[in-house]
């Protein structure tokens, strides 16, 4: 079962903030965040490991709440370059091995 | 340093034809995987490999075969293409087979099955 992302899409003006949520029905050990621009490959942003650690990447940060089985990605003072589709990835047991399963994505559009 | 290289970038097949999507990485990564991406579905894991000679199934393995004879290469084979396999395919590799490693993605291969 895939993690669930919300919202599915968001439109902002440059300089505004955004929050993207990722939730799972099962216990999480790690959460990955990736960004994909149209027609390109996904690019790694950050990994959060079990322990509730909050990480940052420029003006993009994320939190991981194990008890709630969810992670949130925070984009502060958004820039035009932040536009793209954001994916979270969480752990699943597939064929007896722990593997990364992605959510359906959140499309972020930043307008001037 | 090329990273992850996929070929071809575009391919059109007729139903029932077979083909191989190639994936090569030059980072000496042990872990390699194939994902397919469909609108509204995100990235779904097809097959993966934790090292040469070792492969296993992901979420959506039906209709696809893989092999890993070398560390560098991880081809994906469609034995009898179906329209449901129309998708964008991404190969990805990681230094570690644990879920603590960054995935490096290729540029993708867009496949259309008529």
């Amino acid at each position: 079962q895939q993690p669930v992302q919300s919202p599915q899409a968001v439109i902002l003006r440059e300089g505004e903030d955004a929050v993207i949520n990722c939730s799972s029905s099962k216990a999480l050990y790690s959460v990955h965040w990736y960004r994909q621009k149209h027609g390109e490959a996904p690019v790694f942003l950050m990994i959060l490991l079990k322990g509730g650690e909050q990480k940052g990447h420029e003006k993009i940060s994320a939190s991981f709440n194990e008890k709630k089985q969810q992670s949130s990605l925070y984009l502060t003072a958004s820039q035009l370059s932040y536009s793209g589709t954001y994916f979270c990835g969480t752990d699943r047991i597939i064929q007896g091995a722990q593997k990364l399963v992605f959510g359906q994505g959140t499309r972020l559009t930043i307008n001037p | 340093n090329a990273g992850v290289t996929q070929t071809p970038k575009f391919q059109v097949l007729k139903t029932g034809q077979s083909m191989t999507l190639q994936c090569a990485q030059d980072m000496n990564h042990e872990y390699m995987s194939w994902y397919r991406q469909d609108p509204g579905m995100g990235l779904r894991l097809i097959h993966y490999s934790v090292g040469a000679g070792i492969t296993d199934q992901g979420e959506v393995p039906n209709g696809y075969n893989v092999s890993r004879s070398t560390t560098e290469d991880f081809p994906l084979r469609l034995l009898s293409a179906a329209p449901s396999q129309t998708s964008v395919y991404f190969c990805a590799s990681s230094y570690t087979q644990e879920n603590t490693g960054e995935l490096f993605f290729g540029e993708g291969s867009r496949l259309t099955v008529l």
Side-chain angles (χ1 to χ4, degrees):
Chain A
Q1 188 176 1
Q2 290 179 290
V4 177
Q5 290 184 232
S6 62
Q8 290 188 337
V10 59
I11 300 174
L12 299 175
R13 288 193 180 275
E14 194 174 9
E16 293 181 336
D17 301 339
V19 179
I20 299 172
N21 299 303
C22 175
S23 64
S24 171
S25 59
K26 297 182 182 295
L28 299 176
Y29 298 94
S30 69
V31 178
H32 292 223
W33 285 98
Y34 289 77
R35 176 172 62 204
Q36 182 181 32
K37 294 188 177 289
H38 183 69
E40 299 181 5
V43 174
F44 171 80
L45 291 176
M46 65 190 76
I47 294 174
L48 297 101
L49 303 179
K50 189 176 181 179
E53 182 180 2
Q54 184 156 349
K55 287 201 166 188
H57 175 77
E58 298 177 343
K59 291 184 179 179
I60 301 174
S61 62
S63 63
F64 179 19
N65 188 319
E66 299 159 48
K67 287 186 178 179
K68 293 185 178 180
Q69 296 168 182
Q70 66 184 35
S71 175
S72 295
L73 187 72
Y74 306 95
L75 298 98
T76 305
S78 57
Q79 306 169 16
L80 294 177
S81 62
Y82 287 179
S83 290
T85 301
Y86 289 78
F87 293 98
C88 70
T90 62
D91 305 277
R92 282 292 181 271
I93 302 298
I94 300 174
Q95 299 287 328
Q98 188 171 307
K99 290 302 149 199
L100 195 62
V101 175
F102 288 93
Q104 80 279 18
T106 296
R107 179 173 293 183
L108 177 65
T109 303
I110 310 294
N111 292 321
Chain B
N1 193 345
V4 180
T5 303
Q6 290 183 233
T7 56
K9 287 186 169 48
F10 301 93
Q11 183 71 48
V12 179
L13 290 178
K14 293 182 179 179
T15 297
Q17 287 185 318
S18 63
M19 78 156 298
T20 299
L21 298 177
Q22 302 291 344
C23 176
Q25 53 89 11
D26 61 0
M27 297 173 283
N28 202 31
H29 285 173
E30 290 295 326
Y31 180 81
M32 296 186 73
S33 55
W34 277 101
Y35 287 87
R36 61 176 289 174
Q37 184 173 35
D38 303 293
M41 299 294 292
L43 296 152
R44 292 183 292 170
L45 182 64
I46 304 172
H47 284 285
Y48 65 93
S49 169
V50 298
I54 307 169
T55 64
D56 214 333
Q57 297 179 350
E59 302 170 86
V60 289
N62 293 339
Y64 307 95
N65 281 350
V66 292
S67 60
R68 183 95 178 269
S69 57
T70 66
T71 299
E72 293 78 21
D73 300 299
F74 191 43
L76 179 71
R77 297 184 185 85
L78 286 73
L79 298 180
S80 179
S84 60
Q85 294 178 304
T86 293
S87 187
V88 180
Y89 292 84
F90 287 99
C91 179
S93 72
S94 174
Y95 175 74
T96 170
Q97 57 184 280
E98 302 298 327
N99 283 335
T100 55
E102 171 185 352
L103 276 176
F104 292 82
F105 284 85
E107 293 185 347
S109 298
R110 183 176 294 274
L111 175 66
T112 302
V113 183
L114 303 175

